[in-house]
Amino acid sequence: MTSKTQGYIFVLLAITIFSLQDAISKHLAATYPPIFVTMIRYWAFALFTIILASKMRGGLKTTARTKRPLLQVVRGVLLAVQVVLAITCFAVIGLARSQAIFSATPILIALLSMPILGERVGWRRWMAIGVGLFGVLLILKPEGEFFDVKLLLAIISCFNFAFYVIATRLVSRDDSSMTSFFYTGVIGGITMSIIGPFYWSSMSPGDWGWMALVCMTSISSHYFLIRAYDLLDAAAVQPLTYLSLVYASIIGVTIYDETLSINMIIGSIIVVSAGIFTIWREHVVGRRTATAN
């Protein structure tokens, strides 16, 4: 088996496990506060990042060394907030529709990269951004007489994650990916440990089993994603992440009795197509710039 094939297998494993994690998180969030669920999940994730960092060359001290400490803290907090927002969305909006809106993230990243990162966006990506935003409007189209205000939570979550990705791009100019991964887990764990105890809830033995499964899927999915990025370019990995929308639709319909409107299906196809094109163009422009330098 070639390293590239192994990389694709790791991506598929990561996406599949992430989707199972989302489904279980939705189940738990129906009974317990999303902040509480996120805190327990982050405890396991933070422990995993510390153990992994300690086994890297130079150990924990070298891995934790950063040139952008403030930005690393901001990243960690943003992702912790994102997990809370996403779990809340799964509970109040539904898996399928939440993931459909989340699929617009690459388009928002391209849009926000201009003022924040100073990146230039050509007419092709401008067209993709416009088409993608039209797809989002289809997904958000009211099925009744009024717009569902709860959908604003998914939009906020989408922007929040876009800012996280942009912050990650900024910090990657100075820090290694392992250092960023370490701070993602540790800062997120600290953040949730400060807020989470105020939302502590008594959990039934059966639900503690589900919580343990969430923690295991969190650790394994991130591990497989790290292995995938070791073997593949980001441009090869990112388009495959749209499989999470397919998984969310299947799980949402079959397990949680969610419904897929025709607007949502068409809008999702448009957003995913625009997102994949945007990712591809970023890769092409990035390679062209690297070659020129």
Side-chain angles (χ1 to χ4, degrees):
M1 186 183 297
T2 64
S3 60
K4 196 169 185 178
T5 302
Q6 287 180 324
Y8 283 119
I9 291 173
F10 285 136
V11 176
L12 292 174
L13 283 171
I15 295 168
T16 302
I17 296 170
F18 271 126
S19 298
L20 292 173
Q21 176 183 285
D22 291 343
I24 300 169
S25 296
K26 174 180 169 63
H27 165 71
L28 290 172
T31 307
Y32 308 100
I35 291 179
F36 169 68
V37 175
T38 304
M39 179 182 68
I40 303 298
R41 172 173 155 179
Y42 253 104
W43 284 350
F45 181 38
L47 180 62
F48 169 65
T49 57
I50 291 171
I51 293 172
L52 191 63
S54 65
K55 294 182 179 296
M56 300 298 291
R57 180 179 297 177
L60 197 59
K61 186 177 180 180
T62 300
T63 305
R65 189 177 296 126
T66 173
K67 296 179 181 178
R68 307 290 294 272
L70 180 59
L71 194 55
Q72 290 288 10
V73 170
V74 170
R75 285 183 59 256
V77 172
L78 282 174
L79 189 59
V81 171
Q82 171 63 21
V83 175
V84 174
L85 289 173
I87 293 175
T88 305
C89 288
F90 298 150
V92 302
I93 299 173
L95 278 173
R97 203 166 195 185
S98 295
Q99 287 290 3
I101 297 171
F102 294 165
S103 64
T105 302
I107 298 167
L108 289 179
I109 293 169
L111 195 61
L112 294 171
S113 291
M114 290 181 287
I116 298 176
L117 298 179
E119 293 182 1
R120 295 182 60 187
V121 174
W123 65 270
R124 295 179 183 85
R125 276 193 283 175
W126 268 118
M127 284 187 62
I129 290 169
V131 170
L133 292 178
F134 171 73
V136 173
L137 290 176
L138 280 179
I139 296 169
L140 297 175
K141 186 179 182 298
E143 295 176 5
E145 294 184 12
F146 301 102
F147 175 76
D148 190 350
V149 179
K150 294 195 296 287
L151 296 179
L152 290 175
L153 189 64
I155 297 172
I156 293 170
S157 177
C158 207
F159 272 97
N160 183 80
F161 191 65
F163 282 118
Y164 164 77
V165 173
I166 289 173
T168 300
R169 287 186 179 180
L170 279 171
V171 83
S172 68
R173 296 173 180 176
D174 298 298
D175 291 345
S176 68
S177 58
M178 190 59 225
T179 296
S180 293
F181 183 69
F182 169 77
Y183 279 99
T184 297
V186 172
I187 297 300
I190 293 172
T191 302
M192 296 315 303
S193 296
I194 294 171
I195 302 170
F198 294 101
Y199 296 85
W200 187 272
S201 302
S202 296
M203 187 172 285
S204 67
D207 284 339
W208 272 114
W210 287 115
M211 183 65 82
L213 190 56
V214 165
C215 293
M216 287 189 288
T217 54
S218 177
I219 291 171
S220 57
S221 57
H222 280 98
Y223 172 76
F224 286 132
L225 197 59
I226 291 171
R227 293 297 308 275
Y229 277 113
D230 283 341
L231 300 170
L232 297 172
D233 292 334
V237 174
Q238 287 178 332
L240 291 175
T241 60
Y242 282 117
L243 280 173
S244 59
L245 176 56
V246 177
Y247 283 134
S249 299
I250 293 171
I251 294 170
V253 170
T254 58
I255 297 178
Y256 292 108
D257 296 322
E258 296 178 11
T259 56
L260 305 179
S261 67
I262 188 65
N263 278 354
M264 182 179 155
I265 294 171
I266 295 173
S268 297
I269 292 171
I270 292 173
V271 171
V272 168
S273 300
I276 290 175
F277 179 81
T278 301
I279 293 167
W280 175 74
R281 281 301 302 174
E282 285 182 356
H283 177 63
V284 169
V285 172
R287 288 187 61 182
R288 190 179 299 161
T289 302
T291 302
N293 293 336

